[in-house]
């Protein structure tokens, strides 16, 4: 095996979103809400929603192709594809379909499910394969189509979510640009945010009933998730900074899971990171779950906001409950 180095560089990014743009005014035609309520409580103005003919595989593949083009690597050079998603087209996983569509014939591919923390969990997982010298080129995609699972008559949740995909390429390098991370889970709070399978017994043969069920829509205790996020996210970021031997002064960009502008502002305040260092695009996308961080990263890179060598603190949080932070430098 060719040994290039066991450090990690993030060398490319890409993003994609479905064509349909739905603003808050449009939503006020299906549930009792208003642009004013949604904007002031969340910062969201519109979201992109997938049509019946746009699959998760389509959006994830489109984002991946752009990331590979930026990194200037061929699909056949990818060793591993990790697709962070909670809304695969196929319950067995969609990563292999993305692999086939990309023509990444040498890559092993699997899905990783950690809801809105999926991108951060995927980043750390990918990094382990590079640090052990196992793989050199990894494609990490965060993609979700939560609109399939939202209850469109529940105004407390349906206004929050949108669809999309973002991707990055991680490559082995001499210097390690992943400076620190910390991941956490707490299943005791699982009921705060769920998309649960509802089992219904069906008698198969005498005395044996199997479960034939369906998945419920997303249910969420918004206030609990809010309190959890503003408490736990600063803590986990501080831990990751400690592991990286850095202080907040060294941070160029705070790139949080794009759930709610008030959460972004509160975390920034607690960490004393000024608003101009906080990346936010949720006005245009809403909460795209595992896709939100890589979409925002890609947009900031492409407009020249994030520059090579910039230190980025990223943090995902959501269902599970799961949360985590990773600190990395952009580029080689
Ligand atoms: N339009 C109008 N009114 C609404 C709407 C709406 N869309 N939604 C709720 N309301 C009403 C409520 O019914 C309530 O009315 P009431 O006082 O008469 O009962 C009132 O507004 C206030 O509701 P709250 O739930 O207290 O509103 P809050 O200020 O907490 O904001 C929100 C709700 C935006 C959901 C907030 O709690 C939040 O952002 N929580 C975090 C959610 C989050 O980040 N989830 C994603 C995690 S990521 C993942 O893994 C998927």
């Amino acid at each position: 095996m060719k040994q290039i180095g066991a450090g990690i560089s993030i060398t490319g990014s890409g993003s994609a979103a479905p064509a349909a743009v739905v603003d808050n005014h449009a939503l006020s035609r299906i549930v009792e809400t208003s642009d004013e309520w949604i904007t002031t409580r969340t910062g969201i103005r519109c979201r992109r929603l997938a049509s019946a003919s746009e699959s998760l595989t389509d959006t994830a593949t489109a984002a991946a192709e752009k990331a590979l083009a930026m990194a200037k690597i061929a699909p056949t050079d990818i060793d591993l594809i990790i697709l962070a998603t909670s809304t695969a087209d196929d319950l067995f996983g969609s990563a292999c379909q993305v692999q086939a569509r990309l023509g990444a014939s040498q890559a092993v591919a699997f899905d990783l499910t950690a809801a809105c923390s999926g991108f951060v969990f995927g980043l750390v997982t990918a990094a382990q394969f590079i640090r052990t010298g196992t793989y050199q080129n990894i494609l990490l995609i965060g993609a979700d189509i939560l609109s399939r699972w939202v209850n469109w008559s529940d105004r407390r949740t349906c206004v929050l979510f949108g669809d999309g995909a973002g991707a990055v390429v991680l490559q082995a390098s001499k210097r390690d640009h992943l400076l620190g991370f910390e991941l956490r889970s707490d299943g005791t709070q699982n009921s705060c945010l769920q998309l649960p399978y509802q089992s219904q017994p069906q008698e198969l043969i005498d005395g044996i009933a199997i479960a034939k069920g369906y998945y419920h829509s997303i249910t969420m205790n918004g206030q609990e998730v809010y309190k959890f996020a503003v408490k736990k996210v600063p803590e986990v970021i501080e831990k990751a900074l400690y592991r990286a031997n850095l202080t907040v002064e060294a941070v160029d960009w705070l790139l949080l899971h794009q759930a709610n502008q008030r959460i972004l502002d509160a975390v920034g305040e607690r960490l004393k990171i000024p608003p101009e260092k906080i990346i936010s695009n949720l006005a245009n996308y809403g909460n795209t779950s595992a896709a939100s961080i890589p979409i925002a990263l890609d947009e900031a890179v492409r407009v020249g906001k994030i520059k090579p060598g910039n230190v980025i603190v990223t943090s995902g949080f959501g269902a599970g409950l799961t949360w985590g932070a990773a600190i990395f430098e952009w580029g080689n």
Side-chain angles (χ1 to χ4, degrees):
M1 189 183 295
K2 197 166 56 159
Q3 189 64 52
I4 298 164
I8 294 127
S9 283
I10 302 182
T11 56
S13 66
S15 59
V21 180
V22 177
D23 68 14
N24 294 341
H25 297 288
L27 286 189
S28 70
R29 301 210 299 264
I30 56 170
V31 286
E32 201 183 320
T33 189
S34 64
D35 176 54
E36 205 263 331
W37 192 96
I38 302 170
T39 310
T40 51
R41 299 279 178 140
T42 72
I44 299 165
R45 293 184 182 278
C46 51
R47 71 282 295 143
R48 309 283 281 268
L49 299 181
S51 69
S53 62
E54 287 170 306
S55 69
L56 184 96
T57 305
D58 292 337
T59 321
T61 304
E65 282 169 341
K66 291 178 193 165
L68 293 176
M70 189 190 285
K72 298 190 176 65
I73 70 163
T76 46
D77 289 333
I78 307 169
D79 304 308
L80 169 66
I81 298 171
I82 298 176
L83 174 61
T85 187
S86 304
T87 55
D89 294 325
D90 181 329
L91 209 47
F92 289 139
S94 290
C96 295
Q97 292 173 62
V98 174
Q99 181 238 21
R101 290 270 291 274
L102 290 172
S105 51
Q106 303 307 306
V108 64
F110 61 83
D111 288 29
L112 180 154
T113 300
C116 301
S117 307
F119 181 79
V120 172
F121 279 40
L123 185 67
V124 173
T125 303
Q128 307 313 306
F129 285 102
I130 292 180
R131 285 192 173 157
T132 54
T134 311
Y135 296 135
Q136 268 76 53
N137 299 317
I138 301 180
L139 175 64
L140 167 64
I141 309 164
D144 267 309
I145 301 186
L146 282 179
S147 62
R148 290 173 175 171
W149 299 102
V150 161
N151 175 354
W152 287 101
S153 57
D154 176 9
R155 68 176 182 174
R156 291 165 304 155
T157 51
C158 76
V159 301
L160 303 175
F161 299 106
D163 304 330
V168 293
V169 173
L170 290 92
Q171 295 190 269
S173 72
K174 287 206 177 73
R175 246 194 85 212
D176 199 349
H177 301 263
L178 178 62
L179 308 175
F181 68 84
E182 178 78 9
L183 305 180
R184 304 303 301 260
S185 302
D186 181 3
T188 65
Q189 292 197 71
N190 182 261
S191 60
C192 288
L193 182 48
Q194 287 182 311
L195 179 40
Y197 176 71
Q198 190 67 47
S199 190
Q200 293 199 327
Q202 181 183 301
E203 183 136 334
L204 192 63
I205 44 176
D206 281 353
I208 303 284
I210 47 104
K212 269 286 179 197
Y214 60 93
Y215 284 89
H216 260 296
S217 306
I218 294 169
T219 58
M220 182 177 73
N221 182 333
Q223 288 186 1
E224 284 305 314
V225 176
Y226 186 91
K227 280 190 274 180
F228 145 77
V230 298
K231 181 170 189 296
K232 297 294 186 182
V233 171
E235 280 175 16
V236 84
I237 288 175
E238 276 169 352
K239 197 74 183 271
L241 282 167
Y242 173 76
R243 292 195 191 287
N245 203 17
L246 291 174
T247 59
V248 279
E249 287 72 40
V251 175
D252 292 304
W253 301 107
L254 179 64
L255 175 45
L256 302 182
H257 166 49
Q258 307 282 298
N260 184 323
Q261 187 62 43
R262 288 191 297 151
I263 295 177
L264 270 55
D265 295 342
V267 172
E269 257 171 50
R270 284 202 186 188
L271 291 170
K272 299 195 171 45
I273 294 179
E276 59 274 16
K277 288 188 173 183
I278 301 175
I279 292 174
S280 171
N281 71 353
L282 57 73
N284 301 326
Y285 293 96
N287 176 349
T288 56
S289 189
S292 88
I293 292 171
I295 293 176
L297 174 73
D298 182 51
E299 288 191 345
V301 166
R302 284 178 195 270
V303 298
K305 211 165 158 178
I306 292 179
K307 297 183 175 63
N310 279 180
V311 173
I312 299 158
V313 168
T314 190
S315 177
F317 51 91
L321 298 177
T322 54
W323 66 106
I327 300 163
F328 64 91
E329 284 173 327
W330 172 254
N332 282 309

